[in-house]
Amino acid sequence: MQQYEKLKVYIRTENGRTVCMCLKSNKRCTRQCAEDEVSRDRYKGWESTMSRNRWGK
C-alpha cells in the first residue's frame, strides 16, 4: 500500500506565490501554467476520523 500519491498538475504562480493549481486532467482556466508533479499523503487526517476512546466508541 502506497502512502503517497503523485498528481500531475498545472501551477500558476505570481510574485513567488501559488495562485492556482489544477489537475492536468481537469484544467478549467485558459491561462498559461507550468506543468509539475506534486505528491500528497493519502491518509492525512485519518487519525482523528478512526480514533477510539477508552470505551471503544
Side-chain angles (χ1 to χ4, degrees):
M1 203 159 48
Q2 297 176 351
Q3 182 162 351
Y4 293 99
E5 63 180 331
K6 293 185 178 182
L7 304 170
K8 294 180 181 179
V9 295
Y10 286 112
I11 296 177
R12 184 169 55 102
T13 57
E14 290 179 0
N15 298 327
R17 298 181 69 188
T18 303
V19 178
C20 178
M21 185 182 296
C22 304
L23 286 174
K24 211 170 189 184
S25 62
N26 194 14
K27 186 173 178 181
R28 297 185 184 233
C29 61
T30 58
R31 298 183 176 147
Q32 294 292 331
C33 302
E35 295 181 15
D36 201 5
E37 188 172 289
V38 296
S39 63
R40 73 171 178 183
D41 188 6
R42 288 184 177 194
Y43 306 111
K44 183 178 181 181
W46 279 29
E47 294 86 13
S48 62
T49 306
M50 300 295 192
S51 64
R52 291 186 184 176
N53 61 12
R54 64 184 190 184
W55 296 284
K57 293 185 178 179

